[in-house]
Amino acid sequence: MRNFVVTVNGKQYEVGVEEVGGEAQEAPRQAVAFSAAPVASAPQNGTKVLSPFPGLIKSLSVENGAKVKKDQPILVLEAMKMDNDISAPCDGVVTFQVAKGANVESDTVLAVIS
């Protein structure tokens, strides 16, 4: 799975695209519907919260733009069928760089605390 940030009508969305190996084959066409949450642009200054390992963003524990305290859980990262709370490294305002349902790799910027 590769993650991309796509801009549509001035709004950014994070999408995951799965590569399919082998020779290219014509697949049956079907409509695909998905919902993508807008991803906020990163503040210029702040502390980045990085993903410690690959996983799935299961939920966001606080609203985007919320004031958080150091060690407060801000999101849940699922890896190997286990839920892992990712906490704020400092006090500040959280700006998420990922959306619920996104697959992330190690060292992906999940949020910025400013």
Side-chain angles (χ1 to χ4, degrees), residues 4-101:
F4 297 91
V5 174
V6 179
T7 304
V8 178
N9 293 332
K11 293 184 181 179
Q12 290 186 333
Y13 299 90
E14 183 172 312
V15 296
V17 179
E18 186 172 331
E19 279 186 54
V20 179
E23 294 182 30
Q25 297 179 359
E26 183 81 23
R29 296 183 185 258
Q30 37 182 297
V32 177
F34 69 92
S35 62
V39 175
S41 58
Q44 294 296 333
N45 299 322
T47 302
K48 293 179 182 177
V49 180
L50 303 178
S51 177
F53 38 75
L56 170 75
I57 305 300
K58 191 166 182 183
S59 66
L60 303 178
S61 304
V62 297
E63 294 289 323
N64 199 33
K67 290 184 181 179
V68 295
K69 297 285 185 184
K70 182 178 180 184
D71 298 326
Q72 177 180 348
I74 58 171
L75 62 85
V76 177
L77 178 63
E78 181 185 282
M80 297 175 51
K81 304 292 182 194
M82 293 180 60
D83 291 350
N84 301 278
D85 285 332
I86 304 299
S87 300
C90 59
D91 293 354
V93 176
V94 64
T95 303
F96 287 108
Q97 301 301 299
V98 294
K100 179 181 175 183

